Amino acid sequence: MKKILIVLSLLFIINLGCKKENIGGGGLCACSPITPPPPLSLVIKNNADVDLLNPKTTGYFDKSQIQLYARDANNAIKQISFEIRQPFTYTANLKLDYYQLISSEIPYLAKSADQTFYLKLGDNMLYELNLKVTNNIVDKLLIDKKEALKEFQTGNNSYPDAIFRLKIS
């Protein structure tokens, strides 16, 4: 009986001592859920704000026409995985009507803003991407050394804050 009381008391004390995520200023511990960081998400539009990833658009970019990659120290190309996400509604008053190119891999690979990634659209459009990543969240995206605008600004580091816009002229 004493052993059971000691074990239950020990479990109670350990549970109280474990810091939960974002409670009491502590970080994660073994009993906190792990939430993956939001992926880099890129909306690709032309100057008329037409979605160039939408299959219904004339001249759209199919996934097979898009390459996302980096070059290693030996100048070899390393492909980075990505998907094309359909439009979605995030909250009742926040709806994204555009398809997005998303990559969950690129925030993990971006070690510094000096590291360059490449986005190739079609046969002849090549863009250099530089990411500023803080705690696996993309804070800033530079496309050809110019800061990309965000599609939304919620200010709470949620998924919509990681959706950037690429305008093609």
Side-chain angles (χ1 to χ4, degrees), residues 118-147:
Y118 301 92
L119 174 65
K120 187 172 182 182
L121 301 173
D123 292 331
N124 55 1
M125 289 187 251
L126 181 65
Y127 298 93
E128 288 186 4
L129 306 178
N130 299 88
L131 290 76
K132 180 184 175 219
V133 178
T134 307
N135 298 327
N136 290 331
I137 296 173
V138 179
D139 290 332
K140 187 186 289 187
L141 173 65
L142 300 176
I143 301 174
D144 290 339
K145 308 294 183 210
K146 295 177 193 159
E147 188 170 347

Side-chain angles (χ1 to χ4, degrees), residues 16-28 32:
L16 288 178
C18 182
K19 294 181 180 178
K20 304 291 189 243
E21 182 179 13
N22 297 329
I23 297 175
L28 293 176
S32 296

